[in-house]
Amino acid sequence: MYEVSVKTHFSAAHHLNDYSGDCSFQHGHNWDVEVFLRGENLNKSGMLMDFKDVKESLKSVVDTVDHKDLNTLDAFSDKSPTSENIAYFLYTQLSARINNKETRIHRVCVRETAGTGTSYWEADGRND
């Protein structure tokens, strides 16, 4: 099994719904994002997937949240834009763009700060 990872970041504002504490007020973060892809076979060039292609897909998804008020986006209309829900959103969006029979998004990690973060993945038996 091979695993490839790519990191990026984005800045956005949000507030947490149904939360009693400072984060219920509008504030912002510079989120770090790391995406992990897995697969068993390499292409003819000896790569699981070209980093350039992963970066392009990741940028297209991250651009939808970068410098936005996350609470106003359709993706978070029925849920609070927590790091957990952001990781899920990025995972599903990237999976739709990248997953094929050879390569799949395994996990997406989102960090609000250097010391806090969350990950989302689906335990489907293939990439646990």
Side-chain angles (χ1 to χ4, degrees), residues 21-110:
D22 290 343
C23 292
S24 66
F25 300 103
Q26 187 81 359
H27 64 284
H29 294 284
N30 295 313
W31 276 277
D32 289 321
V33 176
E34 188 168 12
V35 176
F36 297 86
L37 293 79
R38 284 188 179 176
E40 294 184 13
N41 300 307
L42 302 180
N43 64 22
K44 290 179 184 179
S45 298
M47 295 182 269
L48 182 63
M49 185 173 210
D50 192 327
F51 286 130
K52 177 181 67 89
D53 295 335
V54 179
K55 289 177 184 178
E56 286 174 3
S57 292
L58 182 54
K59 181 179 181 338
S60 71
V61 173
V62 167
D63 280 352
T64 67
V65 293
D66 189 34
H67 284 83
K68 302 285 191 311
D69 177 349
L70 300 180
N71 294 81
T72 67
L73 301 179
D74 288 344
F76 303 104
S77 64
D78 63 343
K79 60 183 78 124
S80 193
T82 60
S83 289
E84 291 86 348
N85 285 328
I86 294 166
Y88 174 79
F89 168 77
L90 296 173
Y91 177 94
T92 57
Q93 295 297 303
L94 286 165
S95 293
R97 287 170 171 77
I98 290 177
N99 287 5
N100 59 48
K101 67 178 188 168
E102 297 294 328
T103 306
R104 299 182 57 79
I105 296 293
H106 169 64
R107 179 169 45 113
V108 173
C109 299
V110 174

